[in-house]
Amino acid sequence: MIKLMNKKIIIANWKMNPNSLKLAEKLFTDIAKNISDAKSEIVICPPFLYLSKFKKMSHKIKLGAQNCSYEESGAFTGEISAEMLYDIGARYVILGHSERRSFGETNEDINKKIKTALSSGLIPILCIGEKERNENHEYFNIVKIQILECLNGVKKDFISKIIIAYEPIWSISTTPGRRDANGDDFYEMNVFIRKILSDKFGVKNKMPKIIYGGSVNPKNADEFLKEKNSDGVLVGNASLSSEKFLKIINITEGIS
Ligand code: 13P
């Protein structure tokens, strides 16, 4: 497993885009050729199909997948294993994204995927976040349950290797009627996540990276990056524009 450096991380989740290898290569190259001096960790998570193509295209950009099976191998039609992903050059894997949870993925499934990913050498990027907020503050409990169930039985030493992405669904660019989150929303949840991890796993000095995702763009990125405990951002829509993604990288470089 690669060592997580003590620097900010910017992760692009391309989701199911772009629609052709040609466009994907262009997007990747436009980013790669402009980041030779970057000190931040830059990760691109394209659709599975493009991973092997990108493997040798940049030393600067690390590759991640957007999902993996919790099974190691066997008769699981349509699935892709963590070991296959590692072999093809991926070093990260997004797990528990709200778009996958909406297909029925449970905390228990995600928990199994995290364990399989870790044992294959991949760094899991665990996505958590509530659908909506109300004045009863139930969202704290939802996030707490997600963390405890998704990380159930994960050994303490592995906790610091995981990246936790707080992605409130109500702020994601494609959520109907979405609202903007702000730095305070992230800060408050970041403190809460740290407390849960510290109480449950006793990882006070070996915290995982905690990052924010949800409509991050060049206009608001600094708000989420400059928070005291912010370790980076997970970018969806804006990562499909090399210009916007490079601007976010530049903002991160200015803050790191
Ligand atoms: P957007 O940046 O498009 O809101 O997507 C966020 C996300 O889901 C990243 O995983």
Side-chain angles (χ1 to χ4, degrees):
M1 176 177 291
I2 57 171
K3 227 175 149 226
L4 269 183
M5 299 297 178
N6 194 14
K7 52 189 178 184
K8 290 206 195 292
I9 187 161
I10 312 150
I11 304 172
N13 177 7
W14 285 4
K15 307 191 178 183
M16 199 170 71
N17 300 289
N19 267 341
S20 72
L21 178 57
K22 200 170 163 203
L23 288 173
E25 279 181 318
K26 175 157 175 22
L27 178 55
F28 190 92
T29 320
D30 286 347
I31 296 164
K33 68 184 180 206
N34 285 295
I35 52 160
S36 51
D37 299 336
K39 298 182 297 298
S40 319
E41 177 91 338
I42 299 163
V43 182
I44 293 185
C45 303
F48 291 129
L49 285 171
Y50 304 146
L51 284 169
S52 64
K53 194 74 191 173
F54 292 167
K55 185 177 177 178
K56 295 207 172 81
M57 281 169 58
S58 168
H59 294 301
K60 199 78 208 173
I61 298 175
K62 301 283 186 312
L63 295 175
Q66 299 171 17
N67 183 31
C68 71
S69 171
Y70 52 68
E71 299 289 353
E72 284 173 14
S73 64
F76 304 101
T77 304
E79 292 290 288
I80 293 183
S81 75
E83 205 174 319
M84 289 173 192
L85 291 169
Y86 189 91
D87 180 61
I88 212 86
R91 293 296 176 264
Y92 293 84
V93 60
I94 296 173
L95 294 174
H97 193 281
S98 55
E99 287 152 19
R100 297 212 58 83
R101 291 178 189 261
S102 73
F103 302 144
E105 194 168 278
T106 63
N107 288 335
E108 198 186 352
D109 297 330
I110 298 159
N111 177 248
K112 288 194 270 180
K113 291 183 181 197
I114 286 178
K115 289 175 180 163
T116 314
L118 284 168
S119 63
S120 303
L122 295 174
I123 295 173
I125 302 160
L126 168 62
C127 296
I128 53 170
E130 74 282 2
K131 266 201 189 76
E132 57 203 3
R133 290 192 169 191
N134 60 24
E135 61 276 11
N136 297 336
H137 296 89
E138 278 158 25
Y139 57 93
F140 283 118
N141 204 34
I142 290 166
V143 166
K144 182 174 179 180
I145 290 170
Q146 286 176 338
I147 295 175
L148 295 181
E149 291 187 357
C150 290
L151 296 181
N152 184 32
V154 175
K155 294 207 174 72
K156 181 179 168 181
D157 286 353
F158 280 112
I159 295 292
S160 62
K161 300 196 163 56
I162 293 169
I163 296 173
I164 297 193
Y166 173 58
E167 291 209 318
I169 299 171
W170 49 267
S171 77
I172 291 179
S173 64
T174 47
T175 300
R178 65 163 300 284
R179 294 186 292 115
D180 283 334
N182 60 37
D184 290 345
D185 295 323
F186 177 41
Y187 179 74
E188 177 189 57
M189 196 50 88
N190 192 318
V191 170
F192 181 68
I193 294 168
R194 280 167 202 273
K195 163 119 182 61
I196 296 168
L197 294 172
S198 156
D199 289 353
K200 173 74 188 172
F201 297 96
V203 288
K204 237 184 180 72
N205 302 320
K206 285 182 126 194
M207 278 288 162
K209 283 190 187 295
I210 301 177
I211 65 175
Y212 172 80
S215 295
V216 174
N217 60 53
K219 290 202 182 106
N220 64 15
D222 72 320
E223 192 171 345
F224 298 109
L225 287 159
K226 73 180 182 217
E227 282 302 335
K228 193 168 124 244
N229 290 328
S230 170
D231 293 305
V233 284
L234 174 55
V235 189
N237 194 263
S239 72
L240 297 172
S241 149
S242 56
E243 200 188 323
K244 287 185 188 165
F245 193 59
L246 286 166
K247 276 190 188 155
I248 295 170
I249 293 172
N250 275 338
I251 292 165
T252 313
E253 293 287 294
I255 290 170
S256 299

